[in-house]
Amino acid sequence: MKKSLNIDYQIFSDISQLDETDRRLLEMARSALDKAYAPYSGFQVAAALMLDNGIQIVGTNQENASYGLCLCAEQNILATAGSEHFHSAVKVMAITARSLNKPVDHPISPCGACRQVLSEHEDRHQQPIRLLLQGETGEILCFASAKDLLPFSFSAKDLL
Ligand code: THU
């Protein structure tokens, strides 16, 4: 038996096509790039999210001379959300990036580890996280759920 998977997502050619909240989150993420600490890779990543209570926060990648300790923007921001707003679900997350090495002209999507952490947040709150992805320039991708980027994910249901 053969099966196939289909992922629905939206492409926007310009930030002006987004609604006000999404636009603001992407702009917040862009402004937060200055707070990224990425002296080793030169690759600055920032995320901005909105919780179900309307609170908006930002997070950035934080690197370390011991490279394996580098922390991704998405995991940092989810740790902040979980720590400071334990009961609130993330509704939307905008992610952007800038590189000192070359122009980032395409959307940057979360790494595998970040997808796993995003997926667990969705499970925990039983709500999808809408993802907005954009580079410094170029189109914006919008996914209705982080799970769209991680089919066949490992989760608590496998353990408990
Ligand atoms: N990075 C993120 O912040 N998020 C991702 O999803 C991919 C990678 C960071 C980690 C590291 O500081 C730099 O980008 C280069 O890998």
Side-chain angles (χ1 to χ4, degrees), residues 1 6 22 28 34 36 53 58 65 81 88 93 97 104 115 118 146 151:
M1 182 185 18
N6 180 56
D22 288 359
M28 279 174 70
D34 290 333
N53 58 13
V58 295
S88 300
M93 186 186 294
V104 180
R115 292 175 194 209
L118 283 156

Side-chain angles (χ1 to χ4, degrees), residues 41-60:
S41 71
F43 196 76
Q44 302 169 317
V45 184
L49 63 75
M50 188 176 74
L51 298 163
D52 56 9
N53 58 13
I55 289 176
Q56 300 174 345
I57 59 176
V58 295
T60 57

Side-chain angles (χ1 to χ4, degrees), residues 37-38 41 43-46 60-63 70-75 95 108-112 114:
Y37 177 65
S41 71
F43 196 76
Q44 302 169 317
V45 184
T60 57
N61 59 330
Q62 300 292 314
E63 297 189 345
C70 292
L71 299 169
C72 288
E74 298 90 327
Q75 292 181 59
I95 303 164
I108 293 303
S109 66
C111 75
C114 290

Side-chain angles (χ1 to χ4, degrees), residues 27-43:
E27 281 163 358
M28 279 174 70
R30 205 170 297 297
S31 302
L33 283 170
D34 290 333
K35 298 179 187 163
Y37 177 65
Y40 306 106
S41 71
F43 196 76

